[in-house]
Amino acid sequence: MTSELDIFVGNTTLIDEDGLWVGGTVSDAVALRVRSGILEQTGATAAVLQSDTMDHYRTFHMLERLLHAPPKLLHQLIFQIPPSRQALLIERYYAFDEAFVREVLGKKLSKGTKKDLDDISPKTGITLKSCRRQFDNFKRVFKVVEEMRGSLVDNIQQHFLLSDRLARDYAAIVFFANNRFETGKKKLQYLSFGDFAFCAELMIQNWTLGAVGEAPTDPDSQMDDMDMDLDKEFLQDLKELKVLVADKDLLDLHKSLVCTALRGKLGVFSEMEANFKNLSRGLVNVAAKLTHNKDVRDLFVDLVEKFVEPCRSDHWPLNDVRLFLNQYSASVHSLDGFRHQALWDRYMGTLRGCLLRLYHD
Amino acid sequence: MPGKLKVKIVAGRHLPVMDRASDLTDAFVEVKFGNTTFKTDVYLKSLNPQWNSEWFKFEVDDEDLQDEPLQITVLDHDTYSANDAIGKVYIDIDPLLYSEAATVISGWFPIYDTIHGIRGEINVVVKVDLFNDLNRFRQSSCGVKFFCTTSIPKCYRAVIIHGFVEELVVNEDPEYQWIDRIRTPRASNEARQRLISLMSGELQRKIGLKVLEMRGNAVVGYLQCFDLEGESGLVVRAIGTACTLDKLSSPAAFLPACNSPSKDMKESPLVHPPSHGCRSTHNSPIHTATGSRLTQNFSVSVPTLIYTGMGSGSAGKEGGPFKALLRQQTQSALEQREFPFFTLTAFPPGFLVHVGGVVSARSVKLLDRIHNPDEPETRDAWWAEIRQEIKSHAKALGCHAVVGYSESTSICEEVCILSASGTAAVLNPRFLQDGTVEGCLEQRLEENLPIGCGFCHIPYDELNMPFPAHLTYCYNCRKQKVPDVLFTTIDLPTDAAVIGKGCLIQARLCRLKKKAQAEANATAISNLLPFMEYEVHTQLMNKLKLKGMNALFGLRIQITVGENMLMGLASATGVYLAALPTPGGIQIAGKTPNDGSYEQHISHMQKKINDTIAKNKELYEINPPEISEEIIGSPIPEPRQRSRLLRSQSESSDEVTELDLSHGKKDAFVLEIDDTDAMEDVHSLLTDVPPPSGFYSCNTEIMPGINNWTSEIQMFTSVRVIRLSSLNLTNQALNKNFNDLCENLLKSLYFKLRSMIPCCLCHVNFTVSLPEDELIQVTVTAVAITFDKNQALQTTKTHVEKSLQRASTDNEELLQFPLELCSDSLPSHPFPPAKEHLESASANSGIPAAQRATSVDYSSFADRCSSWIELIKLKAQTIRRGSIKTTVTVEKASPMGEGNFRNRSAPPCANSTVGVVKMTPLSFIPGAKITKYLGIINMFFIRETTSLREEGGVSGFLHAFIAEVFAMVRAHVAALGGNAVVSYIMKQCVFMENPNKNQAQCLINVSGDAVVFVRESDLEVVPTQQPTANCQPLCTEGEVTT
């Protein structure tokens, strides 16, 4: 006796909460469910579990096409799914693994990268099917919002109906892919996706065209992608900051201001004092180099090399880093000879946030 | 010109890409009714065309209005070659033809293609202007209402129940016409769909005419079926119960009309004098009154069963004058009718006086080509024959009517088994005649009305019963005689006194038969049938005893014929009726009493059986009050008092009658183990596993013993096909396979629906078919309903709270969802994520990276987002918590948003209200009140594929098709303005595959009643609930922007 056909169709489509159907094969999912102890809990047989899992996979297979454009899921008539389950489906489908996203973050979402998935799958222990889904999701979101104006998070949320949190994560992924930030270097391995997403959010909010807050006067005019691309003009202007380290007097004055303010407050005061010029040079040079695309890509490598690593080798506690960075950026306001206060704030405000986030083991 | 049909094509959406080059479609629509066709303009290059056509007007006879479906075809315009069809929509406009139903059909319909399935949707508006036609000889029957529901519909009152109406029409099956060899599968499928649609329209009209003749205005319990007779043609037949219904003008009480009026009770002559003669009945009969006979086409009428009692035409001999009077009246009322049959399964109080037992008749026929479609006499004669037989069986039981009546067929090649079954009953004539309520009947003894047991009292004569039976005085009123077991095809009467809960009981049976041709085949089948019936009955009886119950309701026995086997499947709901005696246990008796080890084995088995009975009694809460013998009075003296079960294939029954059962309990039921077969049977009795805790199941409308339903329902269809290994097929192996198939299917259902516990599977409807030599297909449709374990019956405070909660969930489902969509698409998004997210972000930085990794905490996500309203709140909260919001942000966001609105590729969300449509095989929706019946839904679909593998194999193909059928039913209901289908039934699911050719085809026929329902809780709390639900998103918006 073999089962030729075995289906279950509900007027309300059943969506399994475990969401195992998003990745892996049916047998993987069955094995996982068996391990979860579901058979003991429900007294079901393995055959029942197999049949149920098959049903979920079939349903998912039919729904997948709709999930590529989630608004379609809401308008379609074929599957009656309660709104909460629709939301769950979308969230599950667009969820991604930390390990996977770290592998492709900042890479071009192209065919070439897709070929690398064969290597990424065994490396991360994520099934190839799941890797492909995640990669395709990134690419799909990228393609849809790429040419769109307005807030990146809003656009993603509107077209993919993701939760706020997930939409912001996708915004970060899209932003990184667009600017091709290097994240794969060995030095950067200690950083989590969350760290990068945090930085991406700050950069989107402060360093992009959209961040300037200029409402376009002529809505039809072709503008750069508001949230995707860094503000070119701003990057050009950053060169002006060079004077902070190039002008020796200014550098000394800056140093003395910071040292005066922090004396007695910092556990690592002497180390700070000794390293001040190096650190300052590092931070300002990073800014000055951002005119070149190549250097933009290496932003995170540079930040870790020029700031995080020196501080870490001297065992700065996080709080001291915070005090230092606050003082370091604030003191510039007291430098009479320096005219680019607003520019400095736009740069350092974001950078300070990023550095604090990047500073950990 | 009595009618004007107006159609407007508004728009399409999600159309398939028909032009590969542009990835777009140039769509236009053809609207066809009868022989008139209109076309819309071509809407160039769009997958979401906006035709906004003028009103297309068809001026037609109302006869055509009833017969013809409106046919809408969506096509892709092609300048150089023929236009490609995208798909079609058939709209049955019947619901627009009677005044109380829908007034307009308007909504999104899935565009359906028999090869590709659903391909986008089309928005259509249909209206009918009907002019009064005073022509007495008209052929139309506009205005007669049809209901699939097999009880008086909830917002109507039955004035008169007229009785049985039937009709059949025949035609050639387009699939078998010569032209089918040259046309495409699509054209052939469409011809078939259209023909069946036409035939059902015609059938309905003809039945309507009969109803008008009877001076009725409605058909209740309308059941229409197709017989695909292959070469010999296509038969569409329908039966129903003609009624005169009155709409309840202000249904203030929630109680359905048939339950409330106490006046009815007074008038009902439920009493009849206790003077009975001596009579007897028994439980394991074969009624062999009708022998086999041959008609011009070869026909074997099979010996049939009467499940309780076996009289021999002694209807006139009862004792009491009242009963005789009652009988006379009813008879006179019924004699006007050829067949005193009723397709209803639930009745107004007082309608049903006594129930005799199940009567059924089967007949094996050889199909021949229908030569003249206009004169379907042969088929008519076949059914008339069967109905006559049923009628005479009912008479034999002292009954003059048959209720819960249904007919079915099973066809394999040229052999066809026609079956009919029902429950013999005595009815109250009050409902059957125009205003002739006899004064003498509404008399005295009103206070002595036997509540909840009257229908159990035997209607038949105790004399002249050829078989022994066991009658006792009713355990409820102690006045009338009752049988020890009662089988019926109807639902449990609402006033019946029941102890404990009920359960689904199934008997399953297979019998191999040799492959044969024509008459030899028919003879072989008809020789097998009585044995099958008998064994099915035996199994049912055993299982019933094992459950410690004494009555079956909703009994449905299906015999399916295949090339080389016959299958029998009986489903019923077992109940313990308080009026009937406690069933005795099951006694096992061995054949070779001297063998010691054998004895031991027997006693071991006996112990197991006793344990099972005890366990079941506990499980189903069967604890009848102990009644001492004296009160009941001694049983009627009879030569043999015990009922017994005979294993009788080849042995004659005399052999076993002498078995001494004195050592056992009184009334013990004897299972004699005389061969290995019997051993197997006993084993299989014990292998039926009860449902997991928290689950109950029944095949009737409601589960006896559960009243506190909550509102969650899930209707489903599950299909399984197994392939038997052709090697060494024995009856035994076959039985085991079939048994496993059904049991596993049930287990799967319990597993899938585990999130609904505590819940009950109601109206579990199994259908077996044998599509090929070694294939067995089982289709199950049922509904799972949740209930509250703890909630008491009376409306307590918690009850109100519960319903409040329920109300809010429902509101959310219906209202919030579209609202949320709109707010998402609005140009000024209420919650633009903050630009100045610095603060919120740094607040987040405290979250460990590991937790952030998967972005969302899923386990809690599902809970948190249990509704969109909560999601909105959630969003609002996150924003409020995390950021300093300024109005500047919002202002900044809006112009960009506008830009998006224009550029967006997705269709505008504003008109996307996909309302929830509930479907249920029951006649009611728990926790809700049906306020309007919109008309009957009767749809027939064919789906075919030539790329079976690519569509996910047979399972993928059928899964998608059934999902599509559900979708099309929902869309039609929604377009009629309804929000539910009740009495939904999948009447046919014929699946054929040819994996070698990568092909499959499936035909599905479904029907039901489209209704509008209102939540009970909504009725109570509308003023408080609605505003809060509506303003919530607005409130949150307000909070955010300030």
Side-chain angles (χ1 to χ4, degrees):
Chain A
M1 183 181 84
T2 49
S3 209
E4 282 272 302
L5 185 160
D6 176 8
I7 56 161
F8 175 97
V9 191
N11 184 37
T12 304
T13 306
L14 293 180
I15 306 290
D16 186 43
E17 277 181 51
D18 304 335
L20 289 168
W21 27 258
V22 293
T25 61
V26 176
S27 48
D28 293 345
V30 171
L32 266 171
R33 293 178 89 181
V34 168
R35 248 176 282 151
S36 78
I38 197 163
L39 293 183
E40 289 76 17
Q41 281 164 34
T42 57
T45 62
V48 165
L49 192 65
Q50 170 82 19
S51 142
D52 180 64
T53 311
M54 287 289 285
D55 266 324
H56 282 300
Y57 266 77
R58 237 182 350 257
T59 309
F60 170 67
H61 181 74
M62 287 185 263
L63 284 170
E64 191 170 16
R65 183 177 55 85
L66 298 164
L67 282 167
H68 290 168
K72 269 194 186 164
L73 186 71
L74 305 196
H75 296 280
Q76 55 82 30
L77 301 175
I78 299 179
F79 304 96
Q80 187 158 282
I81 306 171
S84 63
R85 287 286 142 141
Q86 284 181 345
L88 179 80
L89 254 178
I90 295 168
E91 288 287 310
R92 281 288 158 77
Y93 190 70
Y94 282 92
F96 51 82
D97 291 303
E98 163 87 14
F100 177 78
V101 74
R102 279 297 279 110
E103 291 294 324
V104 297
L105 193 66
K107 284 188 184 156
K108 202 173 169 188
L109 299 174
S110 63
K111 284 227 172 75
T113 313
K114 193 161 186 183
K115 274 178 199 142
D116 298 343
L117 296 185
D118 294 338
D119 302 330
I120 293 175
S121 172
K123 189 173 157 194
T124 56
I126 299 162
T127 61
L128 188 59
K129 189 183 161 199
S130 183
C131 286
R132 292 211 172 115
R133 187 196 91 245
Q134 296 181 36
F135 181 82
D136 289 341
N137 283 344
F138 295 162
K139 195 172 168 181
R140 194 174 321 109
V141 173
F142 184 90
K143 286 269 176 228
V144 167
V145 298
E146 189 181 24
E147 302 293 324
M148 228 170 251
R149 301 173 335 161
S151 152
L152 191 54
V153 179
D154 276 3
N155 286 337
I156 291 172
Q157 219 164 1
Q158 194 166 50
H159 287 88
F160 293 92
L161 308 174
L162 303 180
S163 68
D164 193 52
R165 161 60 52 75
L166 198 52
R168 279 196 252 161
D169 284 344
Y170 268 88
I173 293 164
V174 168
F175 183 72
F176 266 66
N178 190 49
N179 292 291
R180 311 267 301 279
F181 291 115
E182 173 62 54
T183 64
K185 283 264 167 64
K186 205 171 175 197
K187 279 190 176 115
L188 301 181
Q189 283 309 316
Y190 78 100
L191 291 170
S192 71
F193 169 70
D195 296 335
F196 288 115
F198 177 86
C199 298
E201 196 164 342
L202 287 181
M203 285 154 77
I204 292 170
Q205 278 164 14
N206 297 294
W207 287 4
T208 59
L209 264 181
V212 190
E214 292 166 12
T217 41
D218 177 9
D220 291 328
S221 71
Q222 284 298 311
M223 296 191 50
D224 281 340
D225 301 319
M226 305 279 296
D227 273 3
M228 294 268 275
D229 292 326
L230 294 171
D231 184 350
K232 290 264 159 51
E233 221 169 298
F234 164 67
L235 297 182
Q236 283 295 332
D237 291 347
L238 283 177
K239 274 190 190 156
E240 308 289 341
L241 299 182
K242 222 165 169 169
V243 69
L244 281 174
V245 287
D247 185 329
K248 199 163 179 311
D249 295 343
L250 219 50
L251 183 61
D252 287 338
L253 187 55
H254 191 188
K255 181 181 172 182
S256 67
L257 281 171
V258 173
C259 288
T260 320
L262 290 178
R263 194 179 302 275
K265 291 181 186 161
L266 234 48
V268 288
F269 183 77
S270 53
E271 289 91 337
M272 185 276 287
E273 202 174 18
N275 260 330
F276 181 87
K277 286 186 179 173
N278 272 338
L279 292 175
S280 186
R281 250 183 227 119
L283 293 177
V284 172
N285 281 336
V286 165
K289 285 201 304 181
L290 285 178
T291 39
H292 304 292
N293 276 340
K294 164 89 183 56
D295 294 310
V296 170
R297 284 182 204 170
D298 285 339
L299 174 66
F300 289 96
V301 184
D302 290 344
L303 288 180
V304 169
E305 260 176 19
K306 300 278 158 41
F307 185 83
V308 175
E309 284 182 344
C311 294
R312 204 160 42 191
S313 67
D314 285 344
H315 305 291
W316 291 36
L318 179 63
N319 204 39
D320 285 5
V321 176
R322 177 174 297 121
L323 284 173
F324 168 74
L325 284 173
N326 285 349
Q327 202 52 50
Y328 176 76
S329 16
S331 303
V332 171
H333 295 287
S334 313
L335 297 174
D336 291 336
F338 184 67
R339 285 177 294 112
H340 307 285
Q341 303 291 354
L343 185 67
W344 172 254
D345 281 348
R346 188 176 174 191
Y347 173 68
M348 244 350 255
T350 300
L351 208 66
R352 185 182 52 193
C354 294
L355 287 172
L356 286 173
R357 179 72 195 230
L358 300 180
Y359 190 78
H360 62 81
D361 293 323
Chain B
M1 187 209 61
K4 193 187 268 179
L5 171 68
K6 300 191 292 183
V7 183
K8 186 184 171 101
I9 305 296
V10 183
R13 66 181 183 196
H14 306 152
L15 295 189
V17 169
M18 298 299 282
D19 179 6
R20 282 282 155 77
S22 65
D23 268 2
L24 289 167
T25 297
D26 304 325
F28 71 101
V29 182
E30 273 182 13
V31 185
K32 191 177 174 200
F33 189 82
N35 294 320
T36 318
T37 306
F38 291 103
K39 278 182 195 173
T40 65
D41 297 332
V42 177
Y43 195 93
L44 291 171
K45 303 203 183 309
S46 172
L47 299 182
N48 302 291
Q50 306 288 319
W51 291 290
N52 243 322
S53 79
E54 54 180 304
W55 284 100
F56 299 123
K57 296 184 181 112
F58 301 86
E59 296 178 342
V60 278
D61 283 342
D62 49 359
E63 190 183 331
D64 286 341
L65 279 174
Q66 284 194 293
D67 288 7
E68 295 270 351
L70 175 67
Q71 185 180 324
I72 293 166
T73 314
V74 186
L75 299 113
D76 176 51
H77 177 76
D78 207 322
T79 322
Y80 305 106
S81 59
N83 299 325
D84 296 321
I86 295 172
K88 288 193 180 209
V89 180
Y90 291 97
I91 301 177
D92 179 11
I93 48 172
D94 215 51
L96 294 178
L97 301 181
Y98 35 90
S99 48
E100 289 149 42
T103 52
V104 63
I105 299 176
S106 165
W108 289 100
F109 290 90
I111 302 168
Y112 181 73
D113 179 72
T114 60
I115 305 294
H116 294 104
I118 289 177
R119 307 172 95 190
E121 291 123 38
I122 183 168
N123 195 313
V124 181
V125 186
V126 186
K127 286 180 179 174
V128 171
D129 290 337
L130 210 56
F131 310 121
N132 275 335
D133 183 14
L134 300 173
N135 180 5
R136 181 186 284 265
F137 304 102
R138 60 182 183 169
Q139 288 296 298
S140 82
S141 55
C142 289
V144 175
K145 291 181 275 291
F146 284 81
F147 301 92
C148 295
T149 303
T150 55
S151 55
I152 301 302
K154 298 285 187 269
C155 43
Y156 291 90
R157 187 175 70 88
V159 183
I160 310 165
I161 298 172
H162 299 281
F164 192 58
V165 279
E166 47 77 30
E167 186 64 81
L168 66 79
V169 292
V170 298
N171 211 316
E172 270 185 90
D173 191 338
E175 185 103 333
Y176 294 88
Q177 285 165 344
W178 68 268
I179 192 167
D180 205 59
R181 290 181 201 164
I182 53 168
R183 65 180 163 193
T184 62
R186 176 183 282 120
S188 164
N189 291 338
E190 281 174 4
R192 247 174 143 188
Q193 283 190 168
R194 199 180 120 72
L195 178 71
I196 288 190
S197 180
L198 257 173
M199 286 167 77
S200 355
E202 185 191 339
L203 195 68
Q204 217 169 310
R205 175 173 58 81
K206 285 185 168 170
I207 287 211
L209 279 172
K210 289 190 172 178
V211 172
L212 290 176
E213 255 169 50
M214 297 165 101
R215 299 185 176 279
N217 64 4
V219 181
V220 180
Y222 184 70
L223 178 71
Q224 185 196 288
C225 291
F226 303 98
D227 297 330
L228 299 166
E229 294 185 352
E231 288 283 333
S232 52
L234 187 62
V235 177
V236 185
R237 58 192 162 78
I239 55 175
T241 305
C243 295
T244 302
L245 298 183
D246 240 5
K247 182 138 172 92
L248 292 173
S249 45
S250 57
F254 169 65
L255 281 172
C258 55
N259 280 347
S260 45
S262 54
K263 205 178 94 227
D264 281 4
M265 293 297 280
K266 249 191 271 173
E267 291 167 6
S268 331
L270 279 170
V271 222
H272 59 92
S275 56
H276 277 294
C278 193
R279 39 180 161 174
S280 63
T281 181
H282 85 132
N283 297 310
S284 51
I286 285 191
H287 183 54
T288 41
T290 30
S292 46
R293 64 197 132 157
L294 295 168
T295 66
Q296 76 270 30
N297 308 304
F298 187 87
S299 139
V300 185
S301 181
V302 176
T304 41
L305 275 183
I306 301 177
Y307 280 123
T308 280
M310 188 56 48
S312 51
S314 56
K317 287 187 188 170
E318 38 300 284
F322 279 122
K323 196 164 179 181
L325 180 60
L326 171 68
R327 185 147 297 167
Q328 270 168 24
Q329 280 174 355
T330 321
Q331 258 168 357
S332 67
L334 290 168
E335 256 160 26
Q336 300 158 4
R337 282 146 241 200
E338 193 181 1
F339 299 112
F341 297 169
F342 300 86
T343 55
L344 304 179
T345 58
F347 311 91
F351 182 79
L352 197 65
V353 182
H354 300 301
V355 168
V358 170
V359 286
S360 77
R362 286 181 213 283
S363 140
V364 183
K365 303 283 183 189
L366 279 181
L367 300 171
D368 56 346
R369 186 171 279 278
I370 299 167
H371 295 291
N372 183 0
D374 293 331
E375 296 189 357
E377 272 122 10
T378 330
R379 302 298 186 277
D380 268 340
W382 288 357
W383 285 110
E385 221 171 75
I386 293 236
R387 288 171 193 146
Q388 273 305 340
E389 205 171 309
I390 289 276
K391 194 175 165 185
S392 71
H393 286 336
K395 262 205 178 126
L397 283 174
C399 298
H400 39 238
V402 176
V403 293
Y405 180 73
S406 66
E407 294 176 348
S408 62
T409 58
S410 172
I411 297 171
C412 179
E413 302 292 326
E414 77 258 272
V415 177
C416 172
I417 302 180
L418 309 183
S419 312
S421 73
T423 304
V426 175
L427 304 178
N428 182 345
R430 198 177 65 80
F431 290 93
L432 304 171
Q433 269 169 322
D434 273 292
T436 49
V437 181
E438 311 300 316
C440 63
L441 279 172
E442 8 168 338
Q443 30 153 308
R444 57 205 180 138
L445 295 175
E446 274 159 26
E447 62 276 15
N448 284 355
L449 281 176
I451 304 292
C453 66
F455 73 94
C456 306
H457 302 162
I458 51 163
Y460 38 82
D461 190 2
E462 289 172 56
L463 295 167
N464 294 328
M465 287 293 187
F467 294 98
H470 190 182
L471 292 183
T472 49
Y473 282 107
C474 173
Y475 275 52
N476 201 12
C477 67
R478 312 273 151 69
K479 294 199 172 100
Q480 307 286 315
K481 303 273 172 55
V482 290
D484 58 351
V485 174
L486 186 63
F487 284 12
T488 74
T489 58
I490 56 172
D491 273 343
L492 186 70
T494 40
D495 57 347
V498 169
I499 294 173
K501 296 194 166 70
C503 75
L504 180 73
I505 290 178
Q506 285 195 318
R508 303 153 187 148
L509 187 69
C510 306
R511 279 281 168 275
L512 287 168
K513 78 168 181 67
K514 287 209 176 69
K515 281 191 189 182
Q517 291 301 308
E519 301 196 3
N521 194 18
T523 314
I525 291 168
S526 45
N527 286 341
L528 268 174
L529 278 181
F531 294 107
M532 295 204 50
E533 294 247 21
Y534 183 79
E535 285 216 16
V536 163
H537 180 249
T538 305
Q539 260 191 45
L540 281 175
M541 196 62 111
N542 285 341
K543 288 187 178 176
L544 185 67
K545 297 266 173 194
L546 204 62
K547 294 279 194 298
M549 300 176 183
N550 58 20
L552 286 182
F553 286 89
L555 177 64
R556 189 170 161 269
I557 302 177
Q558 201 198 349
I559 304 272
T560 310
V561 56
E563 286 272 285
N564 56 350
M565 62 178 105
L566 282 173
M567 315 279 287
L569 179 67
S571 306
T573 302
V575 178
Y576 186 101
L577 283 178
L580 302 192
T582 312
I586 297 178
Q587 202 85 54
I588 294 184
K591 256 240 144 159
T592 46
N594 299 327
D595 188 340
S597 67
Y598 190 70
E599 284 283 291
Q600 204 181 345
H601 181 69
I602 295 281
S603 71
H604 175 69
M605 209 105 102
Q606 181 70 57
K607 190 176 170 298
K608 255 168 103 180
I609 286 182
N610 292 345
D611 289 351
T612 313
I613 294 179
K615 222 163 55 193
N616 280 330
K617 280 191 172 168
E618 199 179 312
L619 183 63
Y620 299 107
E621 298 158 28
I622 299 167
N623 36 14
E626 291 292 330
I627 304 168
S628 61
E629 282 293 310
E630 298 87 72
I631 306 174
I632 310 162
S634 53
I636 297 101
E638 268 181 280
R640 280 162 287 177
Q641 291 180 9
R642 48 178 193 269
S643 59
R644 57 152 83 253
L645 180 132
L646 308 175
R647 283 208 47 84
S648 87
Q649 248 135 297
S650 50
E651 317 160 72
S652 74
S653 49
D654 338 18
E655 191 186 333
V656 278
T657 45
E658 299 314 316
L659 249 159
D660 182 21
L661 304 172
S662 54
H663 64 285
K665 239 168 93 186
K666 126 185 134 70
D667 303 338
F669 204 73
V670 182
L671 264 188
E672 194 197 345
I673 300 186
D674 46 10
D675 53 17
T676 44
D677 255 20
M679 195 64 104
E680 282 297 319
D681 286 357
V682 175
H683 275 302
S684 76
L685 265 186
L686 295 167
T687 51
D688 272 12
V689 206
S693 78
F695 266 112
Y696 292 93
S697 54
C698 62
N699 77 332
T700 46
E701 281 257 306
I702 45 158
M703 177 68 168
I706 300 177
N707 304 303
N708 37 352
W709 302 110
T710 48
S711 59
E712 198 188 336
I713 64 169
Q714 164 74 296
M715 188 282 297
F716 59 85
T717 292
S718 186
V719 185
R720 276 199 189 181
V721 177
I722 55 161
R723 184 176 290 280
L724 302 162
S725 50
S726 52
L727 298 166
N728 56 47
L729 262 188
T730 59
N731 278 334
Q732 216 171 327
L734 207 55
N735 275 332
K736 188 176 179 315
N737 278 332
F738 184 39
N739 218 28
D740 288 351
L741 170 60
C742 295
E743 284 291 318
N744 290 337
L745 187 45
L746 281 170
K747 275 185 212 157
S748 260
L749 299 182
Y750 296 138
F751 181 76
K752 283 194 177 291
L753 299 164
R754 64 192 185 282
S755 69
M756 291 179 78
I757 286 178
C759 91
C760 179
L761 301 187
C762 294
H763 215 286
V764 177
N765 186 8
F766 272 71
T767 317
V768 189
S769 52
L770 299 163
E772 269 173 55
D773 264 13
E774 280 126 25
L775 295 185
I776 303 178
Q777 177 190 332
V778 175
T779 309
V780 186
T781 298
V783 63
I785 310 182
T786 54
F787 64 91
D788 193 332
K789 234 178 187 165
N790 309 312
Q791 190 184 324
L793 271 175
Q794 63 268 41
T795 321
T796 57
K797 199 179 151 212
T798 44
H799 175 74
V800 175
E801 275 167 16
K802 275 248 156 62
S803 54
L804 271 167
Q805 278 169 12
R806 230 185 293 150
S808 66
T809 347
D810 290 323
N811 277 340
E812 278 152 26
E813 261 179 39
L814 295 167
L815 297 168
Q816 293 314 309
F817 184 33
L819 271 177
E820 164 67 11
L821 292 178
C822 298
S823 69
D824 260 349
S825 66
L826 280 176
S828 58
H829 194 289
F831 326 112
K835 280 290 175 196
E836 37 289 72
H837 238 315
L838 216 68
E839 273 78 5
S840 92
S842 39
N844 283 345
S845 64
I847 300 168
Q851 201 180 322
R852 245 189 86 84
T854 32
S855 342
V856 179
D857 179 9
Y858 288 115
S859 55
S860 66
F861 178 80
D863 297 332
R864 275 185 297 152
C865 299
S866 68
S867 63
W868 279 99
I869 188 87
E870 276 175 48
L871 188 64
I872 293 175
K873 277 190 217 152
L874 198 75
K875 276 185 191 170
Q877 274 166 8
T878 350
I879 290 166
R880 253 176 300 165
R881 212 187 303 124
S883 62
I884 312 151
K885 207 76 183 122
T886 57
T887 38
V888 183
T889 329
V890 179
E891 278 165 21
K892 199 174 71 186
S894 21
M896 290 186 233
E898 233 167 76
N900 286 335
F901 197 72
R902 245 199 314 278
N903 297 343
R904 247 200 349 241
S905 54
C909 304
N911 53 3
S912 73
T913 40
V914 183
V916 173
V917 175
K918 302 222 173 201
M919 292 169 77
T920 172
L922 308 178
S923 65
F924 67 99
I925 291 164
K929 179 174 155 340
I930 293 173
T931 55
K932 200 174 181 189
Y933 282 80
L934 299 167
I936 199 168
I937 297 277
N938 185 13
M939 298 168 96
F940 175 80
F941 298 103
I942 302 178
R943 180 85 155 77
E944 187 167 349
T945 184
T946 48
S947 50
L948 189 59
R949 268 188 298 278
E950 294 76 0
E951 291 190 39
V954 284
S955 294
F957 171 72
L958 195 61
H959 191 146
F961 183 36
I962 292 178
E964 287 176 340
V965 168
F966 286 0
M968 286 185 279
V969 169
R970 286 193 303 257
H972 276 78
V973 172
L976 286 169
N979 55 6
V981 191
V982 295
S983 300
Y984 168 83
I985 174 173
M986 183 176 279
K987 290 177 292 191
Q988 233 141 6
C989 178
V990 184
F991 178 72
M992 289 156 287
E993 54 166 327
N994 189 341
N996 296 333
K997 282 188 175 171
N998 207 16
Q999 286 176 345
Q1001 192 192 36
C1002 186
L1003 294 81
I1004 287 184
N1005 179 213
V1006 296
S1007 66
D1009 293 326
V1011 299
V1012 180
F1013 74 87
V1014 182
R1015 289 261 159 235
E1016 271 172 85
S1017 43
D1018 282 6
L1019 288 173
E1020 295 155 20
V1021 290
V1022 160
T1024 52
Q1025 201 61 39
Q1026 213 83 334
T1028 28
N1030 276 340
C1031 77
Q1032 215 124 14
L1034 300 172
C1035 294
T1036 35
E1037 187 179 9
E1039 279 174 67
V1040 172
T1041 44
T1042 46

